[in-house]
Amino acid sequence: LEPTPLYARPHFQCSIDTSCCALFCAPRAIGCSLCTDVDMITCKHVFGLKGDASGLLHFTEETHVIYPCGHYVVLQNIESREQELLSISHSACSEGISALRMLPNMKSIAVAEKSDCALLNIYDVATRRKRRTIGLADVGVKEVVCISFSHDSRFMLTQGGGPEWLLVLWTLDKIVKPITTMATSARCGPPVHQADFCRRDSAVVCVTGNGILNFFRATDNHFKSIQSNLKRDVQNYLCHCWLREDSVVVASDCGDLLLFENYELKSVLLPNATCTGTVTSIAEFSKGFICGGSAGLLYIFEHERDSRDPYRCTHLHNIQNDGSPVVGMAVSPSEEMLICATSKNQMYSLTLSCADMSNDDVTHVRALSTSFHSPGPSGSLRIVALDVCLWKPLLATCGEDQSLRIWNFEERMVELVRDFSDDLVSVSFHPSGLFVLVGSRDKLHLLSVLMHDASIMKEIHVHSCGVCRFAHGGHIFAVVNSHVVRVYSAYTCQPCVNLRGHNGHVQAMQWAKSDRRIATMSFDGAIVIWKLHDGAKECEYVIARVSFVSGIANEDLSHIFVVCDDHCLRELSVVSGSIELATTYNCGLPLSCLALAETHQVIFYGTSEARKPNCIHAAHLPTWATTNAAKYHSHASEVTCMSLTRDNSLLFTGGADGSLCIFASHDFNSSAERPNDMRIDTIGVLKEFTEEILVTRADMERQNAEIMHLRSKVDELVLNNEYQLRLRDMKYRDNVAVVADQFSFELQSDAQRYQQLKDDKRMVAVAYEDRLRSVEADHELACKRSQDQYNGKLDTEVNRCTMLRKERRQRTQAWESAKQTIIDGQSQRELTVVSEFEAQIEEEHRRQGRLVADKESILCSLSKATIMVEHDADSEVGEIKQRYVVKLSAERHLTKRLEADNELMKKRFSVLTKDVDDQRDEICSLQDKERELLNSIQDLEKDIEGHKKEIREREETIADKEKRIYDLKKKNQELEKFRFVLDYKIKELKRQIEPREIEIFDMRQQVEEMDLELGQYHKSNVALDLMIGELRLRLNGMNLELHNAKARLSVIQVRCRQLLRAVDHPALRALGHKELKRHVRTLVHIMKNEHCEAPETADSSFEVNYRKQREHLERCITALRRKISRDMQLHINDHARLVEESTVLVHEVCCLRRENHRLRLKQSKVSSLDSQRHILSESRSQSIILKSRVYQLEQLLGI
C-alpha cells in the first residue's frame, strides 16, 4: 500500500478572516502568490543586538527603548519585555542597518541601511509607519556612519563611509535635499567616527576620527573650518559629545578627555594616571555627562562650580562579568535610568538615582532584559544549533561563544547559561525538559537541567558529534560520529545499536513517530532509513554528484526534504519500501536549514547569503515547487538553524549575527486539527506545560539553612527593635518633663506680656479714635467740594459731546451720499466698456467663422491673411488698451483723492473720539478713587471690630487657663494619693507573678517532652506503614506466582493427556519395535514444533510451603494490626492529656492578659496625669516586662 501523502488535505482558502493573525509592524511576505492578504508567519519577539550599528540605543518614552536587532528595529517595553518590530526595507541589495538616530522631538527615528546606494528611512514612533525615504545615490554615499539632527529638527547631517568619507548637510523642510557636501578625510584615508551638530547653534559641526578633530561652520551653503588652539600629538579621537553649555567633550584612544569651550581647549578632565583604559562612548545629562570605558567601566562626571576643573568624576561603576568596551549609551527623559550596550552585544541598565545615593557601585548595573549570545574566541556570533522542549516552554541554543543557553519563550528571558571550554556543535532537548544533550568536537555531554544550573551527568567520548537528537519518547537518543550513527539508552548511556553504511559525514537525521525507525542524510548525497531493532537498512537512495546541507522528514518518514549545495531543494517520497525523487526546485540562493509544519501544510527554509540580510521562505504544500514562496526578512546574516514546536504554532530561527527570532505560524486549518479545549495565549503557545524542576539535595539544604539563618536574624532584629523602643520611650519621657517645665515658665511670661500688651492696646485705641474722628470730618468737606466741582465739569462735557455727535452725523451722511454717487458713475462706465468689448468679441467670432469656412478654398493665402488679421487685431487691441489705461488712471486718481478725504475725516473723528474717551477715563478714575476711600473706611471699621472681638476672646482664654491651672493643681494632689495605692498594688503583683513564671517554665518543659514522644510515635507509625506495604507487595507477588504455577500445571496436564492418548493408541500395539520407535520420534518432533516445552516435575512440597508461608504472613499482619491499634490508643490518650493541659495553660494566660490589661489602664491614667514622677516609670517598665513574658508564653503555646 502507498503511504498517505503529507499534503492530502486541501490547502487553505485566501478568503478567510485575517484579523486573528495580522500584527501591526509585522514583516509582510514578498512574492507569495498563494495568499496576498495573510502572512503565514509573524515575528513576535527577537533576542539579540546588532552591535556594529552606530547610535544603537535610544529612549522613546520613560519605559520604552529602541535598538536594532537582526533586520528589525525593536521598540521594547523595559518593564513587561513586550516588543514592537519595525521591519526594514526588503531591498535585494541591502546589507543591513548601519546607523540609527532619534530626532530631538522624540517623535521620529532615522534608520540608515548600507547598500550600493545607501538609504535613509524616517519612521514615526507613534504610528510605527514610514514617513520618508531618502536615497543617497545622488551624493555618492554607500554607507552612513553617523546621523545627526539639529535642535529644531530642520537640518540633518550624515557622515558617509569610506573611501570617500563625505559629510552631507540636508534640509528637512517641505522638500528634503542636500545643501552642501565635504570630504572630512582623504580618499582611502583614516576613518571618521562621529559628526554631530552643536546643541544651540545648528550651523556648527564637530567631526572626530582617527587623527581628525575639526570644527566647521555652515555659511553660504559651504562648510568653513573653525580654528582651535589644539596643539597635541595626533591621536585617534574615538567619540565626542556636545554639552548644554555649548562646550564639547572629546575622548581619545590615550584615555584623555578633552574639554573644549568656544572651540578652544580648556582642560583635560581624565588623565591617564587615574583612568584604566579608554573612553569609547559619551552621553550627556543635566548634571554633566557619563562616559563608557573600554574595560566595562562607567564614569559619571558632574559639574563643579567651585572647583578648578569644571567637571569631576563623582561615581565609578563596573559592569560585572563583562569587560568589553561600551559602544553605546542613552539616558531616559527623566534622567532616572541609563542604558548601555557593550561590544559583546549585551545591554545593561543603571539607575542613576540609586547610583547617587549609594557608593555600592556594582549592584546597580544589571542586564536590561536578558543576556544574549556574545562573540566567541573567533569573534563570530553564530548560533550553531537550537532545539525546543515538548513539555515546557523552553528552548535550548548553543553558539560559537561556547555557551549553552536555556530560553523561556513565554517569559521572554534566559533561564540559565552554562559555559563550556570546547566549541559546541549540536544540542537536543529531552521531551520532559529535565535533560539536554550538548555535542562538542570530542565529547557528548548529557546534562540535567536544574533550577539555576545545568550539571553534567554523563560524558560520552564521541568525535565530531555534529548532530544529536532524542527520540520522541525520550528513552533513547541518536548521535552522529562522522559517518556512523550511534544510538544510546537515555537512562544508562550504554550503546544500543550502531548504524553503519554512509560514506560521508551525516548532516541530518529524523526519528519516526514510533521511534522504531530513523532517517539519515549524509554529505555524499545518500538518504537511508534504518530499522532500530536490528540496525539494518530499510531503504536507501543516493543522488550522485550532490552534497546535502540539511534535511527534514515527516513523522512517518514517507516524505523527505533535503537542501543541496547546488541551491536546490528536493523532495523524495517513500513508496513500497523504496525512495523515489519526487520534486526538485532551484531556489537560486544558497540554503541552510529546513523546518516542516505538517499540520499547517507549510515548509520553511532559510537562506545563507554571506554579508547581507537573509530571508525565511515559507511555501504551502503540495504546490511549494510551482508557486513563489513567501519571504520574511529576519536576520542580518545567514540563517543557521530552525525548529518548530510540536504543535507547529511557533517557529524559532537562529542566525549568524547572534539573533534569535520567534515567529508565530498561522494554522488555517486549526478548527480541524486542534482540539477545542486547547488554550492558546497571545503568541500562540500552549498553556498546558509542566512545572516540575530538578533540585539537588545540597541546594535544598543550603536554602533551608539560609532560611533558618534569616529567621534568627529577624528574631534578633525584633528584640533589638523592642530594646531600642524602650530606650527611646525613656528618652522622650525625660524630654516631655523638660518641655512641660519650659512651657509653664513661658506661660507665666506670656501672661505678663499679655497684660502689658493689653494696656498698650487701650492707649492706642484711644489715640486711634481721636485721629479717626478728625479724618472723617476732613474727608466729608473734601468730598463735598470735589463733588460740586466734578458735577459742573460733567455737565459741560455732556453738552459738548452732544454737539460733536450731531456734527459727526451730518458729515457721515454727506460722505455716504458722495460715495454712492461715485460708485454709481463707476459702475455705469464699467457696463459701457464691457458692452463695447463684448460687441468686439462677437465681431471677432464672426470673422473667425468666415475664415474657417474659406479655409479649404484659400489655403495658400491663409497664412498671410492670418498674419494681417493678427497684426490688425493686435494694433486695435493695443489702441483700445491704451485708451482704457488712460481712463483707468483717471479713475484711480479720483479714487485716491476720495480716499484722502476719507482718511482726513477719519482722523478728525478719531481725535474727537479720543477726547471723549479721555474725559470718560478721568470720570472713571475719580469714581474709583471715591470707591477706594469708601472701602478703606469700611476696612478700618472692620479692623476695629476685629480687635475688640480679639480682646474679648483673649480675656476669656486667660480666665479658662487660670481655671484649668487650679483644676490641675487639685488633680495633682489626688494623684499623689493614688500613687501610694498603686505602689502597694505593684508590689503585690510582683509577688504573684514570680510563682506563675515558675509554673510556666515547668509546663514548657512538659510540652517539649510531649513533642518528643509524639515524634517517636509518628516515626514508629511510618515504619509500620512501610512494613505493611512491603508485606502486601510480597503477598501480591506470591499470589501472582501461584496463578502462574496453576496455569503452567494445567498446560502440562493437557499435554500429558494428549501424550498418553497418543501412546495408548490401540494401533501402536500392533507395530514392531522399529516402527514404534519411528512413531515415537515423529511424535516428539511434532511436540517440539508446537513449541511445547517439557514440563518440569512439580515439587510435591510446593503447596505445603505456600500454605506455611501464607499462615506466617497472616500471623504477622494480625500482630502488626494489634500493635497499631495499641499505639493508636496510646496516641489518643496522650493527645487528650495534652489538650487538657493546654486548656489549663490557656485559662491562666487569659487571666494574666486581663490583669495586664487592667494594669495598663491604670498605668495610662497615671502617665497622662503625672508624667514627671519616677515611680510611674518604674511601674511602666514592670508592665512592659509582664507583657514580654505573656508574649513569650503565647508563642510557647502557639496562641
Side-chain angles (χ1 to χ4, degrees):
L1 294 176
E2 293 185 359
T4 302
L6 170 66
Y7 33 80
R9 297 183 302 271
H11 57 274
F12 69 95
Q13 300 296 324
C14 296
S15 60
I16 64 171
D17 185 13
T18 62
S19 60
C20 61
C21 56
L23 178 70
F24 186 71
C25 76
R28 300 294 300 174
I30 304 170
C32 180
S33 61
L34 278 178
C35 183
T36 59
D37 296 330
V38 181
D39 287 336
M40 285 180 280
I41 57 174
T42 302
C43 189
K44 295 294 186 179
H45 201 88
V46 292
F47 296 99
L49 176 67
K50 187 173 174 57
D52 56 353
S54 66
L56 68 167
L57 290 178
H58 297 281
F59 273 97
T60 58
E61 297 176 11
E62 187 62 30
T63 59
H64 289 74
V65 62
I66 194 166
Y67 61 90
C69 178
H71 204 55
Y72 297 109
V73 174
V74 182
L75 179 63
Q76 178 169 328
N77 189 321
I78 300 175
E79 297 176 351
S80 63
R81 299 192 184 97
E82 294 180 354
Q83 291 183 352
E84 293 187 20
L85 306 178
L86 298 178
S87 181
I88 311 303
S89 64
H90 308 298
S91 175
C93 60
S94 176
E95 298 182 15
I97 301 171
S98 61
L100 281 84
R101 190 61 181 263
M102 181 71 69
L103 270 71
N105 56 12
M106 299 185 71
K107 295 181 180 179
S108 303
I109 186 168
V111 182
E113 292 184 64
K114 181 181 178 182
S115 64
D116 296 338
C117 53
L119 292 176
L120 187 66
N121 299 318
I122 298 179
Y123 295 88
D124 191 294
V125 176
T127 61
R128 288 28 168 194
R129 296 182 181 274
K130 187 187 297 184
R131 293 176 54 191
R132 290 178 178 176
T133 298
I134 304 171
L136 281 75
D138 297 337
V139 295
V141 175
K142 298 182 179 179
E143 178 185 3
V144 177
V145 175
C146 180
I147 310 172
S148 179
F149 292 93
S150 61
H151 65 279
D152 54 1
S153 301
R154 294 181 56 196
F155 299 99
M156 179 178 67
L157 195 69
T158 58
Q159 175 61 58
E164 289 83 6
W165 304 106
L166 289 178
L167 181 67
V168 185
L169 179 64
W170 302 77
T171 177
L172 296 179
D173 291 335
K174 296 182 179 179
I175 301 176
V176 180
K177 60 181 180 180
I179 298 176
T180 181
T181 60
M182 182 186 66
T184 53
S185 180
R187 184 175 178 84
C188 300
V192 179
H193 302 311
Q194 187 178 355
D196 202 358
F197 279 111
C198 179
R199 296 288 185 188
R200 297 183 181 178
D201 191 356
S202 301
V204 178
V205 178
C206 178
V207 180
T208 53
N210 190 357
I212 300 171
L213 176 56
N214 297 320
F215 295 95
F216 298 100
R217 182 180 295 277
T219 56
D220 299 332
N221 296 336
H222 292 286
F223 284 114
K224 294 183 179 180
S225 178
I226 300 175
Q227 299 297 326
S228 63
N229 63 342
L230 181 63
K231 296 179 180 179
R232 298 170 63 91
D233 295 336
V234 177
Q235 296 177 349
N236 184 9
Y237 299 102
L238 303 176
C239 57
H240 69 269
C241 179
W242 287 95
L243 305 180
R244 299 190 180 184
E245 296 82 7
D246 287 347
S247 57
V248 62
V249 178
V250 182
S252 67
D253 60 348
C254 298
D256 296 338
L257 277 177
L258 310 178
L259 178 64
F260 288 85
E261 289 186 0
N262 296 325
Y263 322 117
E264 302 292 334
L265 179 61
K266 185 175 181 180
S267 62
V268 179
L269 300 178
L270 192 62
N272 291 331
T274 60
C275 175
T276 59
T278 60
V279 173
T280 56
S281 180
I282 306 175
E284 176 260 346
F285 72 119
S286 60
K287 296 181 181 179
F289 59 91
I290 304 171
C291 298
S294 59
L297 298 176
L298 297 175
Y299 307 90
I300 300 179
F301 285 82
E302 295 184 359
H303 186 62
E304 296 287 340
R305 295 185 178 180
D306 300 332
S307 177
R308 182 179 63 181
D309 294 332
Y311 293 92
R312 184 174 62 87
C313 182
T314 57
H315 297 86
L316 175 63
H317 299 269
N318 185 14
I319 301 176
Q320 284 185 326
N321 303 325
D322 194 342
S324 58
V326 178
V327 296
M329 292 189 296
V331 182
S332 63
S334 63
E335 298 185 353
E336 289 289 330
M337 181 180 292
L338 168 75
I339 58 174
C340 61
T342 64
S343 61
K344 288 185 178 180
N345 288 3
Q346 307 295 326
M347 292 189 293
Y348 301 94
S349 64
L350 170 66
T351 304
L352 295 177
S353 57
C354 296
D356 293 339
M357 292 187 292
S358 174
N359 292 324
D360 187 9
D361 301 327
V362 177
T363 58
H364 301 310
V365 181
R366 58 182 178 84
L368 181 62
S369 58
T370 187
S371 61
F372 310 126
H373 279 285
S374 57
S378 61
S380 175
L381 289 162
R382 180 184 296 269
I383 297 177
V384 179
L386 62 86
D387 193 20
V388 188
C389 180
L390 175 62
W391 293 354
K392 291 184 179 182
L394 299 180
L395 172 73
T397 61
C398 60
E400 292 196 356
D401 57 351
Q402 299 177 352
S403 69
L404 168 69
R405 294 176 185 268
I406 307 296
W407 309 77
N408 189 322
F409 51 83
E410 272 193 340
E411 298 179 1
R412 304 178 181 90
M413 62 178 296
V414 173
E415 288 282 341
L416 60 91
V417 180
R418 175 64 187 265
D419 294 323
F420 292 83
S421 59
D422 298 332
D423 293 335
L424 306 182
V425 294
S426 60
V427 67
S428 179
F429 229 134
H430 193 270
S432 65
L434 302 178
F435 307 98
V436 63
L437 272 177
V438 180
S440 61
R441 297 295 181 188
D442 299 322
K443 292 180 182 179
L444 179 69
H445 309 273
L446 178 61
L447 294 89
S448 60
V449 181
L450 305 177
M451 184 185 297
H452 301 295
D453 193 10
S455 63
I456 297 177
M457 297 176 56
K458 186 71 175 180
E459 289 185 349
I460 304 172
H461 292 277
V462 178
H463 183 68
S464 298
C465 179
V467 183
C468 61
R469 190 173 296 277
F470 273 104
H472 294 96
H475 58 293
I476 54 177
F477 59 86
V479 181
V480 171
N481 183 8
S482 186
H483 59 279
V484 179
V485 178
R486 303 182 186 275
V487 180
Y488 291 86
S489 172
Y491 304 108
T492 61
C493 294
Q494 296 297 323
C496 299
V497 64
N498 293 332
L499 308 178
R500 301 178 183 272
H502 285 286
N503 296 324
H505 193 280
V506 177
Q507 298 291 101
M509 58 184 174
Q510 180 72 35
W511 287 93
K513 189 175 182 180
S514 61
D515 292 337
R516 296 178 180 178
R517 297 186 302 156
I518 186 171
T520 58
M521 289 73 79
S522 62
F523 187 75
D524 58 351
I527 301 174
V528 182
I529 298 178
W530 306 84
K531 297 178 181 179
L532 291 185
H533 67 278
D534 56 356
K537 295 180 181 179
E538 180 179 326
C539 53
E540 182 179 5
Y541 187 81
V542 179
I543 302 177
R545 296 183 300 277
V546 171
S547 298
F548 290 160
V549 178
S550 180
I552 194 73
N554 61 345
E555 291 184 347
D556 57 356
L557 304 184
S558 61
H559 290 268
I560 301 173
F561 297 85
V562 290
V563 171
C564 307
D565 60 351
D566 58 353
H567 302 174
C568 290
L569 178 62
R570 290 178 169 86
E571 179 186 3
L572 298 99
S573 300
V574 180
V575 180
S576 300
S578 62
I579 303 176
E580 298 177 356
L581 181 62
T583 310
T584 300
Y585 175 64
N586 190 351
C587 300
L589 296 172
L591 305 180
S592 58
C593 52
L594 285 168
L596 183 62
E598 289 191 60
T599 58
H600 298 185
Q601 305 179 42
V602 179
I603 183 170
F604 304 99
Y605 53 93
T607 60
S608 59
E609 292 185 273
R611 297 186 300 276
K612 65 183 302 183
N614 282 264
C615 303
I616 296 172
H617 297 246
H620 277 276
L621 302 174
T623 59
W624 65 273
T626 58
T627 59
N628 294 328
K631 300 179 183 179
Y632 301 92
H633 283 269
S634 57
H635 301 278
S637 187
E638 299 94 336
V639 181
T640 57
C641 49
M642 187 182 300
S643 182
L644 280 160
T645 54
R646 182 58 63 88
D647 59 351
N648 299 324
S649 61
L650 291 180
L651 173 67
F652 303 92
T653 61
D657 58 348
S659 61
L660 177 65
C661 299
I662 302 177
F663 292 88
S665 177
H666 304 302
D667 186 3
F668 300 99
N669 296 312
S670 58
S671 60
E673 298 296 330
R674 184 175 291 127
N676 295 327
D677 59 348
M678 189 171 292
R679 301 187 300 274
I680 307 296
D681 68 356
T682 56
I683 64 171
V685 182
L686 297 179
K687 290 186 177 180
E688 289 80 2
F689 289 118
T690 60
E691 298 180 356
E692 289 79 7
I693 58 173
L694 293 178
V695 183
T696 61
R697 186 184 299 275
D699 292 339
M700 291 295 295
E701 292 176 353
R702 183 168 57 253
Q703 189 173 3
N704 292 333
E706 186 176 357
I707 291 172
M708 294 300 295
H709 179 65
L710 292 174
R711 285 180 179 174
S712 63
K713 279 189 176 181
V714 169
D715 296 336
E716 292 177 0
L717 289 173
V718 168
L719 294 175
N720 189 17
N721 289 336
E722 290 179 355
Y723 177 70
Q724 294 294 333
L725 288 173
R726 292 174 190 171
L727 293 178
R728 194 172 296 175
D729 194 8
M730 295 172 63
K731 177 182 176 182
Y732 288 154
R733 194 181 300 116
D734 298 337
N735 293 337
V736 167
V738 174
V739 170
D741 295 339
Q742 184 178 0
F743 177 74
S744 60
F745 176 74
E746 290 179 356
L747 186 63
Q748 294 177 0
S749 61
D750 289 341
Q752 295 176 0
R753 185 180 177 187
Y754 173 73
Q755 188 63 33
Q756 183 179 359
L757 290 173
K758 190 175 180 181
D759 297 338
D760 295 341
K761 176 181 172 292
R762 192 180 296 108
M763 295 174 63
V764 170
V766 172
Y768 180 75
E769 288 176 357
D770 296 338
R771 183 181 177 187
L772 185 62
R773 283 194 292 271
S774 62
V775 168
E776 287 177 353
D778 296 338
H779 176 67
E780 289 178 358
L781 292 174
C783 286
K784 189 174 182 180
R785 285 197 300 271
S786 61
Q787 187 175 3
D788 295 339
Q789 181 180 359
Y790 283 106
N791 284 335
K793 289 183 179 181
L794 186 61
D795 295 337
T796 305
E797 293 296 332
V798 169
N799 295 330
R800 184 182 174 188
C801 181
T802 305
M803 293 173 65
L804 289 172
R805 285 178 179 175
K806 290 180 180 180
E807 185 178 359
R808 187 190 68 178
R809 193 179 299 109
Q810 293 174 359
R811 291 183 179 181
T812 302
Q813 291 176 357
W815 183 82
E816 289 289 340
S817 61
K819 180 181 177 182
Q820 187 64 34
T821 304
I822 293 168
I823 291 172
D824 295 340
Q826 183 68 22
S827 61
Q828 188 66 30
R829 285 190 293 272
E830 287 179 356
L831 291 173
T832 305
V833 172
V834 169
S835 62
E836 292 178 358
F837 273 107
E838 287 179 351
Q840 292 178 5
I841 289 170
E842 289 178 358
E843 182 65 26
E844 289 294 332
H845 284 312
R846 288 194 295 272
R847 184 182 299 173
Q848 289 179 1
R850 288 193 300 270
L851 291 173
V852 170
D854 299 337
K855 179 179 179 181
E856 295 179 358
S857 61
I858 54 172
L859 186 61
C860 296
S861 60
L862 181 61
S863 59
K864 296 180 181 180
T866 303
I867 293 171
M868 293 175 64
V869 170
E870 288 179 353
H871 184 268
D872 295 339
D874 291 339
S875 60
E876 187 176 356
V877 170
E879 291 175 0
I880 294 171
K881 183 178 180 181
Q882 186 66 28
R883 185 168 63 252
Y884 282 103
V885 164
V886 173
K887 289 182 180 181
L888 184 61
S889 62
E891 293 295 333
R892 285 178 178 173
H893 181 68
L894 180 61
T895 304
K896 288 181 180 179
R897 189 175 62 207
L898 291 174
E899 288 178 353
D901 295 340
N902 191 16
E903 290 294 331
L904 183 61
M905 296 298 292
K906 285 183 179 179
K907 288 181 180 178
R908 290 180 182 177
F909 179 73
S910 62
V911 170
L912 292 174
T913 306
K914 187 176 181 182
D915 293 339
V916 174
D917 292 339
D918 292 340
Q919 293 295 329
R920 287 179 181 175
D921 293 339
E922 189 175 358
I923 292 168
C924 292
S925 63
L926 291 173
Q927 290 177 355
D928 292 339
K929 289 181 181 179
E930 184 179 1
R931 283 195 295 270
E932 288 177 357
L933 291 172
L934 292 174
N935 292 332
S936 62
I937 291 169
Q938 292 176 0
D939 293 337
L940 291 172
E941 290 177 353
K942 290 180 181 178
D943 291 339
I944 292 169
E945 292 295 332
H947 287 308
K948 289 180 180 179
K949 186 176 180 181
E950 187 177 358
I951 290 168
R952 288 195 299 271
E953 289 176 353
R954 290 192 177 183
E955 288 177 352
E956 293 175 357
T957 304
I958 290 170
D960 293 338
K961 288 185 177 180
E962 289 177 351
K963 186 177 180 181
R964 179 65 177 169
I965 290 169
Y966 176 74
D967 294 337
L968 290 173
K969 288 181 179 178
K970 194 171 181 180
K971 287 182 180 179
N972 193 11
Q973 293 176 0
E974 293 177 357
L975 289 173
E976 289 289 341
K977 297 177 183 178
F978 191 62
R979 183 190 63 187
F980 178 75
V981 177
L982 287 177
D983 290 339
Y984 179 74
K985 289 185 177 181
I986 288 169
K987 291 178 181 178
E988 287 183 351
L989 288 173
K990 286 182 179 179
R991 288 195 298 270
Q992 293 176 4
I993 287 171
E994 289 178 357
R996 291 184 179 181
E997 289 180 351
I998 295 171
E999 292 177 2
I1000 289 169
F1001 180 75
D1002 295 337
M1003 291 179 182
R1004 187 183 301 166
Q1005 290 182 348
Q1006 291 178 4
V1007 170
E1008 292 177 354
E1009 292 175 356
M1010 292 175 184
D1011 290 338
L1012 293 175
E1013 291 177 1
L1014 286 174
Q1016 292 177 358
Y1017 289 150
H1018 284 304
K1019 290 180 180 179
S1020 62
N1021 288 336
V1022 171
L1024 291 172
D1025 290 339
L1026 292 175
M1027 189 180 296
I1028 290 169
E1030 186 178 357
L1031 292 173
R1032 284 177 179 172
L1033 291 175
R1034 291 180 181 177
L1035 182 60
N1036 293 332
M1038 294 298 293
N1039 291 330
L1040 183 61
E1041 290 180 1
L1042 179 61
H1043 178 71
N1044 295 333
K1046 287 181 178 180
R1048 287 196 299 271
L1049 184 60
S1050 62
V1051 171
I1052 291 169
Q1053 290 175 355
V1054 170
R1055 297 301 180 189
C1056 288
R1057 286 194 296 271
Q1058 293 177 358
L1059 183 61
L1060 289 175
R1061 283 197 301 270
V1063 172
D1064 232 0
H1065 198 274
L1068 297 178
R1069 298 173 185 173
L1071 299 175
H1073 293 287
K1074 293 182 179 180
E1075 293 178 354
L1076 180 62
K1077 183 177 180 181
R1078 190 183 306 109
H1079 184 73
V1080 169
R1081 286 180 179 177
T1082 305
L1083 184 63
V1084 170
H1085 181 68
I1086 291 171
M1087 298 295 288
K1088 286 184 179 179
N1089 290 338
E1090 292 178 358
H1091 302 283
C1092 296
E1093 298 178 354
E1096 298 178 357
T1097 57
D1099 192 4
S1100 60
S1101 61
F1102 176 76
E1103 295 182 359
V1104 177
N1105 293 331
Y1106 172 71
R1107 193 179 298 109
K1108 289 181 180 180
Q1109 185 70 17
R1110 181 175 180 179
E1111 291 175 357
H1112 173 70
L1113 292 175
E1114 289 177 354
R1115 286 195 300 272
C1116 292
I1117 291 171
T1118 304
L1120 289 173
R1121 286 177 180 173
R1122 286 198 300 271
K1123 187 176 181 181
I1124 288 171
S1125 61
R1126 189 166 54 252
D1127 292 340
M1128 289 296 294
Q1129 188 63 34
L1130 291 174
H1131 175 70
I1132 291 169
N1133 296 334
D1134 293 338
H1135 182 69
R1137 181 169 54 81
L1138 288 174
V1139 170
E1140 291 177 359
E1141 292 177 354
S1142 300
T1143 305
V1144 174
L1145 291 174
V1146 169
H1147 180 69
E1148 292 181 359
V1149 169
C1150 293
C1151 294
L1152 290 174
R1153 278 184 176 177
R1154 287 194 293 271
E1155 190 172 356
N1156 183 24
H1157 181 66
R1158 185 168 54 81
L1159 289 174
R1160 198 184 310 166
L1161 293 175
K1162 292 181 181 179
Q1163 178 185 353
S1164 62
K1165 292 180 181 179
V1166 174
S1167 60
S1168 61
L1169 295 175
D1170 189 9
S1171 61
Q1172 302 175 2
R1173 304 298 179 182
H1174 181 66
I1175 188 168
L1176 184 60
S1177 65
E1178 291 181 354
S1179 77
R1180 190 171 183 179
S1181 63
Q1182 292 294 331
S1183 176
I1184 291 171
I1185 294 171
L1186 181 61
K1187 182 179 178 181
S1188 64
R1189 289 179 178 175
V1190 171
Y1191 178 70
Q1192 292 176 358
L1193 184 60
E1194 288 177 354
Q1195 286 185 340
L1196 178 64
L1197 297 176
I1199 299 176

